[in-house]
């Protein structure tokens, strides 16, 4: 990656055959309120000891898949109509076009797809390159739709990722992984209906990074909270899906204790390569967790912009080392940027954050003179 920034475009993703589409929350990061409610209803039924009815569950799943298929087919037609009529029609319609389409996806019980459709409404007339960005996002939606329509031809892990991106509920599956988990970051995002808390954990023994999601009603903080910079010995069970990082917290063996070491990190070039590898497994991925080691915040070429560069990079002797990760535009407006700059003072830092096509968002930093003491930046 160069100092020009991290870019995502359709030609960077290996193009699959139409019947083997690929490209997840967010972490898997995209689980929604409907998934949470479905899981809670299932949990209440299990807790009540009510009899399970596999046949009824199978019929409900079939009916939902039929509705999702109808919604995806309709979306494919609308995308084709948009491209046939030209992108100028999207600029004229603005939010009206996409809100109507999103409502249809909600009716089809595909809330994840509805959320992605709504995001398209903010793109027209949002900058000089909006047609390019709109076309890219429409291509990714088309890829997701084709993935669902041909899900029986996909590998199981990729098919699970497609289901997750559409917003279909899933449960943690597989053997639990016991480790001492370092709490890398914790932050909340909120909309009119839901508060979502993301907690990033790093296994000190396994080296795996995992995401815990916790939900609360609008205006209320989620129940789960873990102190950043502490370690927790516990079991984590992963969710299905290619490249899925989300996990469920299981048994805890001891209360969190302050950590005395910082995690190992990557160079900026290695971080970029990791993002590319993750996109091969999940082309719809917005961001990946990355720990950077030995980086310094420096001004970017663009006025008011900043980037993280490797402290030991020497462009004169090794031009390939002259890489940098631009900070995301949203990061530039937060106080955490100035905490990061002051914390560094020109010296290398270890920084954890999320890397995506818009750049790097720093969440936590470890100063050189206090190896085990993190500073939150979000």
């Amino acid at each position: 990656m160069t100092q020009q920034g991290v870019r995502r475009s359709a030609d960077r993703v290996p193009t699959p055959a139409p019947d083997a589409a690929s490209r997840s929350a967010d972490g898997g990061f995209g689980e929604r309120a409907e998934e949470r409610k479905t899981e809670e209803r299932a949990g209440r039924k299990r807790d009540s000891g009510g009899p399970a009815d596999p046949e009824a569950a199978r019929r409900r799943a079939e009916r939902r898949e039929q509705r999702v298929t109808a919604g995806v087919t309709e979306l494919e037609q609308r995308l084709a109509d948009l491209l046939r009529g030209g992108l100028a029609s999207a600029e004229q319609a603005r939010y009206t076009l996409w809100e109507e389409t999103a409502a249809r996806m909600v009716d089809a019980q595909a809330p994840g797809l509805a959320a992605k459709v709504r995001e398209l409404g903010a793109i027209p007339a949002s900058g000089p390159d909006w047609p390019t960005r709109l076309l890219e996002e429409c291509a990714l939606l088309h890829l997701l739709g084709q993935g669902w329509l041909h899900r029986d031809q996909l590998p199981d892990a990729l098919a699970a990722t497609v289901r997750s991106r559409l917003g279909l509920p899933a449960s943690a599956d597989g053997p639990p992984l016991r480790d001492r988990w370092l709490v890398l970051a914790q932050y909340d995002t909120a909309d009119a209906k839901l508060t979502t808390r993301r907690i990033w954990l790093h296994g000190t023994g396994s080296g795996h990074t995992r995401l815990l999601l916790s939900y609360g009603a609008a205006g209320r903080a989620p129940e789960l909270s873990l102190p950043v910079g502490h370690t927790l010995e516990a079991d984590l069970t992963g969710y299905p899906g290619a490249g899925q990082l989300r996990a469920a917290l299981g048994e805890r063996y001891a209360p969190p204790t302050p950590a005395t070491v910082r995690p190992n990190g990557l160079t900026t070039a290695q971080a970029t390569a990791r993002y590319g590898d993750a996109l091969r497994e999940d082309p719809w991925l917005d961001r990946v967790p990355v720990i950077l080691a030995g980086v310094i915040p420096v001004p970017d070429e663009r006025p008011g912009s900043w980037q993280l560069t490797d402290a030991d990079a020497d462009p004169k002797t090794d031009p390939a080392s002259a890489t940098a990760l631009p900070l995301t535009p949203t990061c530039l407006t937060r106080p955490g940027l100035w905490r990061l700059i002051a914390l560094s003072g020109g010296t290398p830092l270890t920084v954890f954050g999320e890397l995506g096509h818009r750049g790097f968002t720093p969440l936590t930093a470890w100063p050189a003179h206090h190896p085990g003491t993190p500073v939150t930046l979000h």
Side-chain angles (χ1 to χ4, degrees):
M1 181 174 305
T2 65
Q3 296 181 1
Q4 303 303 319
V6 185
R7 299 286 184 186
R8 179 185 67 175
S9 60
D11 59 357
R12 290 187 56 189
V13 180
T15 304
D19 61 350
S22 59
R23 173 143 160 144
S24 71
D26 343 40
F29 302 148
E31 289 73 14
R32 297 287 174 182
E34 181 168 329
E35 174 184 346
R36 177 178 63 90
K37 293 177 180 177
T38 302
E39 292 173 349
E40 290 176 351
R41 288 194 296 267
R44 285 196 297 268
K45 186 169 184 178
R46 288 192 301 267
D47 294 341
S48 65
D53 188 346
E55 181 61 24
R58 183 189 63 81
R59 290 196 299 267
R60 287 194 299 271
E62 287 182 352
R63 288 195 297 269
R64 179 167 189 170
E65 288 193 356
Q66 291 171 358
R67 286 191 288 268
V68 172
T69 298
V72 168
T73 303
E74 179 179 346
L75 177 61
E76 288 283 280
Q77 184 60 53
R78 294 198 177 203
L79 291 175
D81 292 342
L82 172 65
L83 297 181
R84 189 178 299 110
L87 298 182
S89 60
E91 185 177 19
Q92 297 168 358
R94 298 297 296 273
Y95 286 101
T96 305
L97 170 66
W98 304 113
E99 280 297 330
E100 179 188 352
T101 305
R104 297 288 293 167
M105 298 305 103
V106 172
D107 293 341
Q109 293 189 298
L113 199 59
K116 292 181 179 297
V117 169
R118 286 193 180 96
E119 293 173 359
L120 298 181
I123 297 178
S126 61
D129 62 340
W130 73 262
T132 300
R133 289 184 284 115
L134 180 60
L135 190 60
E136 290 175 354
E137 296 302 327
C138 287
L140 292 174
L141 269 180
H142 170 66
L143 192 62
L144 183 58
Q146 289 298 307
W148 173 259
L149 296 175
H150 301 90
R151 60 193 179 280
D152 57 335
Q153 302 175 32
L154 300 180
D156 291 343
L158 185 55
T161 298
V162 170
R163 294 178 62 88
S164 174
R165 290 302 180 185
L166 288 172
L168 302 183
S171 300
D173 190 18
L177 175 61
R178 180 173 177 174
D179 204 340
R180 290 187 60 83
W181 299 96
L182 172 63
V183 184
L184 295 174
Q186 173 179 292
Y187 68 94
D188 296 348
T189 56
D191 56 27
K193 298 181 179 179
L194 192 68
T195 299
T196 302
R197 173 165 294 166
R198 289 176 168 84
I199 304 176
W200 285 108
L201 304 178
H202 180 75
T204 58
S206 64
H208 296 314
T209 301
R210 293 293 181 260
L211 173 68
L212 301 181
L213 291 178
S214 182
Y215 301 99
R220 298 180 58 184
E223 292 184 5
L224 181 61
S225 180
L226 297 175
V228 175
H230 285 53
T231 56
L232 172 70
E233 186 172 359
D235 289 335
L236 294 186
T237 302
Y239 279 73
Q244 177 66 264
L245 298 180
R246 185 187 175 189
L249 180 61
E251 183 177 354
R252 308 186 201 187
Y253 299 97
T257 57
T260 58
V261 296
R262 73 181 72 191
N264 296 323
L266 308 174
T267 66
T268 56
Q270 291 170 335
T272 304
R274 174 166 294 185
Y275 180 48
D277 292 340
L279 284 178
R280 284 205 300 268
E281 293 185 327
D282 181 359
W284 305 277
L285 195 63
D286 289 327
R287 50 199 167 175
V288 295
V290 170
I291 303 171
L292 300 173
V295 293
I296 300 175
V298 297
D300 199 345
E301 297 175 350
R302 298 163 299 171
S305 299
W306 287 77
Q307 60 188 359
L308 292 176
T309 185
D310 297 301
D312 57 357
D314 188 353
K316 295 182 179 179
T317 60
D318 184 11
S321 67
T323 60
L325 295 180
L327 301 185
T328 55
T330 54
C331 168
L332 300 176
T333 62
R334 295 173 179 165
L337 170 63
W338 303 110
R339 284 201 296 270
L340 178 68
I341 296 170
L343 190 65
S344 170
T347 62
L349 299 172
T350 296
V351 182
F352 169 75
E354 296 170 346
L355 177 61
H357 63 281
R358 294 182 178 87
F360 182 79
T361 300
L363 299 174
T364 309
W366 287 260
H369 52 285
H370 291 299
T373 305
V375 176
T376 58
L377 304 172
H378 192 275

